[in-house]
Amino acid sequence: MIELFHQQPPSLGNQYTDDRVLRSFLRRALPRDVLAQVEPDLTTMGELAGGELYRLHLADRLNEPVLTQWDAWGERIDHIEVSPLWKRAARLAAEYGLVALPYERTYGVFSRIVQFALVYLFHPSTDVYTCPLAMSDGAARTLVEARDAALIDRALPRLISRDPDRCWTSGQWMTELPGGSDVSRTETIARPGFDGIWRLFGRKWFTSATTGQMALALARPDGNPPGSRGLALFYIELRDDEGRLQGIRVNRLKDKLGTRKVPTAELSLEGTPARLVGAPNGGVRAIVPMLQVTRLWNSVSAASFMRRGIALARDYARRRVAFDAPLNRQPLHIETLATLQAEFEGAFHLSFLTAGLLGAEETGVADERQRHLLRVLTSITKLTTGRQAVDVMSEVIEAFGGAGYVEDTGLPTLLRDAHVLPIWEGTTNVLALDTLRALAQPGTWEAILSLADELTSGVDDVSLARAGVRAHTALDHARRWFGEAHDRARLERGARRLALTIGRSLELALLISHATWSLTEEHDGRARAAALRFARSPIDLIDDDDCDDTALADDIPIPGEALQGEG
């Protein structure tokens, strides 16, 4: 009898103890006593992420949210049933304090780093349950910053509760048909009532976390002017004391490319009771803390997805034989995985740098440079890591050959879910324009350049020092281009390349800094190898010969005489 070939699938171990990059970073970033306190939770979360949660993630692949609009007796209920994995993830998230940690401040300025280390482990095995968690964290910070004592007393203890039966999650309702990133076109109207409660009327086209207990929504108070300055932020509790939706109709769940476990819905607001958060014309200003937090969750999730994809591809490379040798002994496959690892490590360090900056800001210890960096890097980190995640995950799928294209391996889900990262909370282009505004603030460029100087100083290794010069050269070019591009159209055309150049330059500087530390403290050259490989990738993306390609973008003819003199 002929024995047929059997291909072993990739497997995962403890995702904390197996993660050199995370463990090395935490040894450097956290005081020893803090690391000793949090390591048991990190180890347990790592075991869950590579064990129970990963197995449930694979078994739960076909379970998607189900909307039941009517009960058997004709009553409108709009009940959304989520997947078993989401129910398990909700309890674990509360118990491990994935939203609570930065508000408890048990670890002081390091609380955000501890929080996001746990989030980073939790994220890729939980079908993007991090989406409602990110919005809940953003809502908590928004309410704290708004200093509305009544709302803080009502909602904050529930948003940050570690009791799964008491813990709330929050939605974030901004997107409407006329505008996604451009919230200035919001059509939802808010009308004040005699009881001091406002009523909202309108449609929200894309609302995630519709299964939460509360939401923060943008609306235009009746009579306010058009545009973003006429918007206000409102607090909504979705259900009354009997569990019935309050003036909310769930029209349908969205049929999305990815994040299919997230119950994203189209809603009609039909007199939904709401409370004003902040000023009646200060809605856009009020959501800044929320976006700061959710964009950071997006960045950490990007690094987390990359790490998961590479972990699976690396394990598979040990098990898969092609051309008479395992893939991890094939030079070209080794080259591919090494390149992906370097991209991931750059994204990881940039994300956790930003997490540390947020922690410093929230605990009141941030200096002026750190505040400038947090403002500009919130956008740059999100746009840089989001693009990296899509590129890396596409390569990961290819690293499995045909198996990567087969749904029941679970691999295609990783790529589809990663595609939300450059879109949610601001597309790459929208964040690039936000970067221009941040760079125009006095002191921002000085903060970026001084950070790069600090990261690359005291480097004895000749190759790392040479890589540091490349990072500085790119940043100097970026600043010079920004200063010389006086034409607004030219600035906007190049904004994406500018932001990515800054992001990748800082990733390289961070890799050099960590490699220098690791060589001395850990006697390990792997971080050095990552830095040098990253240094060989495109860093400076700025085009000095910028041109207006409107005709090419619109695909309209260019008369031949218009090309005379071009070379």
Side-chain angles (χ1 to χ4, degrees):
M1 182 176 178
I2 299 175
E3 184 175 345
L4 297 177
F5 173 76
H6 171 70
Q7 175 62 53
Q8 290 184 328
S11 66
L12 296 173
N14 185 303
Q15 292 300 282
Y16 175 66
T17 58
D18 287 353
D19 192 331
R20 167 187 59 85
V21 176
L22 174 62
R23 294 179 68 204
S24 178
F25 168 76
L26 293 179
R27 280 195 292 271
R28 184 183 180 196
L30 298 181
R32 288 186 179 181
D33 61 324
V34 172
L35 181 58
Q37 291 177 63
V38 302
E39 200 150 39
D41 276 356
L42 291 167
T43 303
T44 304
M45 184 64 79
E47 183 61 38
L48 285 166
E52 177 197 341
L53 291 177
Y54 180 58
R55 291 190 296 272
L56 187 52
H57 160 77
L58 292 176
D60 209 28
R61 185 177 61 85
L62 298 178
N63 288 322
E64 296 186 2
V66 175
L67 169 63
T68 301
Q69 292 178 308
W70 307 91
D71 71 9
W73 302 99
E75 291 295 319
R76 185 75 183 254
I77 56 173
D78 286 345
H79 172 73
I80 300 172
E81 185 70 18
V82 297
S83 68
L85 174 56
W86 260 48
K87 293 176 181 179
R88 175 70 170 134
R91 300 192 71 82
L92 287 172
E95 291 166 357
Y96 281 86
L98 297 191
V99 174
L101 272 161
Y103 303 93
E104 295 169 342
R105 295 193 181 170
T106 303
Y107 308 109
V109 70
F110 304 106
S111 295
R112 281 288 180 188
I113 290 177
V114 172
Q115 174 202 26
F116 280 114
L118 285 164
V119 168
Y120 164 87
L121 294 170
F122 174 88
H123 167 72
S125 291
T126 52
D127 285 337
V128 200
Y129 188 74
T130 41
C131 174
L133 296 180
M135 291 186 287
S136 301
D137 191 354
R141 186 156 189 257
T142 299
L143 294 179
V144 169
E145 292 290 325
R147 299 180 182 178
D148 185 318
L151 288 182
I152 290 172
D153 290 345
R154 171 68 178 166
L156 187 63
R158 292 168 171 83
L159 288 169
I160 67 173
S161 175
R162 286 182 180 248
D163 180 353
D165 296 319
R166 185 170 184 260
C167 187
W168 279 9
T169 55
S170 177
Q172 184 172 305
W173 298 354
M174 300 181 195
T175 305
E176 300 189 7
L177 278 169
S181 299
D182 182 9
V183 297
S184 67
R185 302 180 67 191
T186 294
E187 293 180 335
T188 298
I189 295 297
R191 298 190 176 107
F194 294 111
D195 54 1
I197 300 297
W198 293 70
R199 299 294 191 279
L200 306 188
F201 300 85
R203 287 193 303 165
K204 294 296 183 180
W205 187 76
F206 199 96
T207 65
S208 295
T210 316
T211 52
Q213 292 75 25
M214 62 163 282
L216 295 179
L218 286 177
R220 193 179 308 281
D222 218 355
N224 269 22
S228 59
R229 293 183 179 179
L231 296 177
L233 184 65
F234 290 90
Y235 166 92
I236 298 168
E237 290 187 15
L238 276 67
R239 293 168 179 80
D240 61 20
D241 292 340
E242 296 181 6
R244 294 173 299 196
L245 288 171
Q246 302 194 87
I248 299 169
R249 299 293 190 202
V250 182
N251 298 326
R252 64 168 176 163
L253 296 182
K254 307 297 275 189
D255 188 6
K256 298 169 294 177
L257 169 71
T259 64
R260 298 185 66 88
K261 302 302 181 71
V262 181
T264 307
E266 291 182 25
L267 303 180
S268 291
L269 306 183
E270 302 171 352
T272 308
R275 289 191 54 175
L276 183 66
V277 180
N281 60 352
V284 173
R285 193 181 312 112
I287 64 173
V288 169
M290 176 193 300
L291 294 176
Q292 204 169 48
V293 169
T294 53
R295 286 171 178 171
L296 182 52
W297 276 77
N298 197 98
S299 304
V300 172
S301 296
S304 176
F305 264 144
M306 286 185 262
R307 155 65 188 166
R308 170 56 54 85
I310 293 168
L312 290 168
R314 183 179 290 125
D315 186 75
Y316 185 71
R318 300 186 184 107
R319 302 169 184 271
R320 179 65 173 173
V321 174
F323 307 108
D324 301 321
L327 289 179
N328 70 344
R329 293 294 177 265
Q330 303 280 3
L332 185 52
H333 200 78
I334 293 170
E335 164 81 7
T336 301
L337 291 183
T339 299
L340 300 184
Q341 179 70 20
E343 288 290 323
F344 150 66
E345 292 194 29
F348 174 94
H349 285 291
L350 186 60
S351 296
F352 276 88
L353 166 70
T354 311
L357 291 170
L358 180 59
E361 171 73 16
E362 290 178 327
T363 53
V365 302
D367 58 26
E368 185 178 6
R369 186 185 82 166
Q370 289 173 314
R371 289 191 290 272
H372 280 304
L373 287 172
L374 179 62
R375 169 68 178 90
V376 71
L377 289 186
T378 298
S379 296
I380 287 177
T381 301
K382 192 271 186 187
L383 73 86
T384 304
T385 59
R387 291 307 324 162
Q388 285 176 297
V390 172
D391 294 341
V392 166
M393 292 311 301
S394 179
E395 288 279 7
V396 163
I397 296 302
E398 191 174 343
F400 286 89
Y405 204 67
V406 175
E407 286 289 351
D408 55 7
T409 64
L411 296 167
T413 299
L414 292 172
L415 177 60
R416 284 199 302 271
D417 286 353
H419 266 281
V420 80
L421 298 170
I423 298 172
W424 189 59
E425 299 299 29
T427 63
T428 304
N429 285 357
V430 166
L431 293 178
L433 296 176
D434 186 63
T435 299
L436 292 182
R437 289 187 286 272
L439 291 173
Q441 297 300 312
T444 301
W445 274 110
E446 290 76 10
I448 292 170
L449 295 172
S450 69
L451 171 64
D453 285 338
E454 179 183 301
L455 292 170
T456 56
S457 64
V459 177
D460 296 326
D461 184 281
V462 174
S463 296
L464 289 175
R466 191 179 301 119
V469 171
R470 187 160 188 222
H472 282 287
T473 301
L475 286 173
D476 288 340
H477 186 199
R479 185 181 189 183
R480 187 172 65 255
W481 181 89
F482 180 80
E484 294 172 354
H486 301 298
D487 175 34
R488 183 66 192 180
R490 185 172 187 237
L491 263 177
E492 291 193 6
R493 281 197 303 274
R496 183 184 179 115
R497 296 190 299 273
L498 174 68
L500 286 169
T501 296
I502 297 170
R504 293 188 67 81
S505 297
L506 290 179
E507 285 186 346
L508 177 54
L510 287 160
L511 288 168
I512 292 167
S513 176
H514 194 74
T516 302
W517 176 86
S518 184
L519 285 170
T520 302
E521 300 296 329
E522 300 176 317
H523 308 290
D524 189 336
R526 285 176 289 182
R528 176 182 183 272
L532 297 181
R533 177 162 288 275
F534 192 89
R536 294 196 292 273
S537 70
I539 304 296
D540 187 345
L541 306 179
I542 292 171
D543 181 8
D544 286 312
D545 297 323
D546 173 76
C547 61
D548 182 356
D549 282 329
T550 301
L552 184 60
D554 289 342
D555 198 24
I556 58 178
I558 303 175
E561 57 269 20
L563 304 177
Q564 298 300 317
E566 291 189 10

